[in-house]
Amino acid sequence: MSTTLVAVGRDQILTITQDVFAAMIDGGEVLVTEQEGPAGDFADPVCAWVDMTVELLGLGARAVVRTETAAAHELTRALLMMGPDEAVGPEDLVDAFGELANVVGGNVKSLLAAPAVLSLPTVAAHPPELAQSQFMQDLTVDWRGYTLVVSLWLIG
Amino acid sequence: MYVLVADDSRVMRQIVIRTLRQAGYDWKIIEAADGQEVYDLALAEQPDLILSDWNMPNATGIEALTALRQAGCDIPFGFVTSEGSQEMRDQAEAAGALFLVAKPFTAESFREVLEPVLA
């Protein structure tokens, strides 16, 4: 049941990510491409995640976006149309990067097999630790030379 | 046109306003950051249109819409939300929303839903 609930393919995650970045950040241009191989560890990571909960089943999914803080700063500048030398404050970083995860997660939610409730986004250096058995899918992408990882986990 | 744009994300409010301008709608905008503010500002300011996120703290967008309709307020209301499933669209329509624009959106997405409202 749980794996059926979150039967979302990597190609679907890629399409969602490309659509979100193209529409929100890159003026319609698709600059997100799949990156082969594992992303490895980020030196200065930042993560944003949203939960999708199917209350009747007590189950759900978590969509996590993680990258280097420098990349999240660049995303924030792009979203807020800031200049390349403008400093990004922590509040804007949390808002912008969290909203990115929110839109990705909201689109993933529409692919779940049952209606779910979407949480507000959370942003931190690391997401809460989940068991490897809860891992469902991940995708590593390149955006303007930065690496981002979108992953999907079972929760509940 | 006097329009209330509601989203708990300041970044997303900016993107919505920017995209409206790209779509050719150079409107006077007021902003709300949660569902309670949508309710309060709608009644106090009487905007011509409300564009609201769904998932917000201190009352969701659909809770704000339901409360406004119960208060006798019939300001045209549309959702701009990351959740565009048929279930959400049906729920939005049942509560009295005119449309639901799914994020990510384009200027064309706004024109498609707003032109019939403005006609």
Side-chain angles (χ1 to χ4, degrees):
Chain A
M1 178 66 206
S2 55
T3 49
T4 312
L5 173 72
V6 195
V8 179
R10 297 174 81 243
D11 56 335
Q12 290 173 302
I13 298 175
L14 177 62
T15 300
I16 287 170
T17 308
Q18 287 177 326
D19 288 350
V20 169
F21 275 67
M24 287 175 62
I25 299 170
D26 296 319
E29 200 177 346
V30 177
L31 299 180
V32 167
T33 54
E34 186 170 2
Q35 194 172 295
E36 296 299 326
D41 290 331
F42 293 113
D44 183 15
V46 61
C47 301
W49 66 94
V50 288
D51 290 345
M52 298 148 256
T53 309
V54 182
E55 286 173 351
L56 281 175
L57 301 175
L59 283 173
R62 173 171 296 160
V64 183
V65 182
R66 64 189 169 95
T67 189
E68 288 284 1
T69 298
H73 280 194
E74 200 56 38
L75 283 164
T76 304
R77 284 191 195 94
L79 281 164
L80 286 169
M81 302 189 91
M82 296 165 70
D85 299 325
E86 276 188 80
V88 173
E91 199 173 306
D92 283 343
L93 177 75
V94 166
D95 186 358
F97 196 51
E99 190 58 20
L100 196 69
N102 181 46
V103 180
V104 170
N107 281 266
V108 169
K109 175 181 169 271
S110 66
L111 300 174
L112 299 186
V117 175
L118 189 70
S119 73
L120 294 171
T122 305
V123 178
H126 301 280
E129 200 160 325
L130 294 171
Q132 195 54 40
S133 60
Q134 293 171 269
F135 171 77
M136 296 298 294
Q137 194 68 264
D138 72 355
L139 174 76
T140 303
V141 298
D142 176 274
W143 172 74
R144 301 188 191 181
Y146 293 105
T147 298
L148 293 96
V149 179
V150 182
S151 58
L152 201 56
W153 301 74
L154 272 174
I155 54 171
Chain B
M1 282 282 283
Y2 187 36
V3 177
L4 171 58
V5 171
D7 200 303
D8 54 318
S9 164
R10 184 177 73 87
V11 169
M12 186 50 73
R13 293 198 301 272
Q14 285 198 14
I15 294 172
V16 169
I17 293 165
R18 189 193 309 158
T19 309
L20 285 171
R21 295 212 169 104
Q22 287 167 353
Y25 306 119
D26 198 10
W27 294 335
K28 184 181 176 191
I29 304 282
I30 48 170
E31 299 180 38
D34 62 40
Q36 184 64 52
E37 278 190 23
V38 170
Y39 181 82
D40 293 342
L41 280 173
L43 294 180
E45 297 286 330
Q46 294 290 314
D48 301 307
L49 173 69
I50 301 169
L51 297 173
S52 176
D53 187 18
W54 187 296
N55 198 16
M56 297 184 288
N58 303 326
T60 62
I62 195 109
E63 287 168 345
L65 170 57
T66 303
L68 285 169
R69 293 299 184 253
Q70 283 172 353
C73 172
D74 60 358
I75 296 168
F77 193 111
F79 282 103
V80 182
T81 173
S82 60
E83 309 166 67
S85 66
Q86 192 55 51
E87 182 216 1
M88 304 283 280
R89 291 176 188 278
D90 293 345
Q91 207 180 330
E93 190 181 349
L98 295 176
F99 55 81
L100 185 153
V101 174
K103 300 171 187 171
F105 46 73
T106 62
E108 188 54 37
S109 313
F110 277 114
R111 274 194 291 267
E112 276 175 22
V113 297
L114 288 171
E115 285 308 310
V117 175
L118 299 172

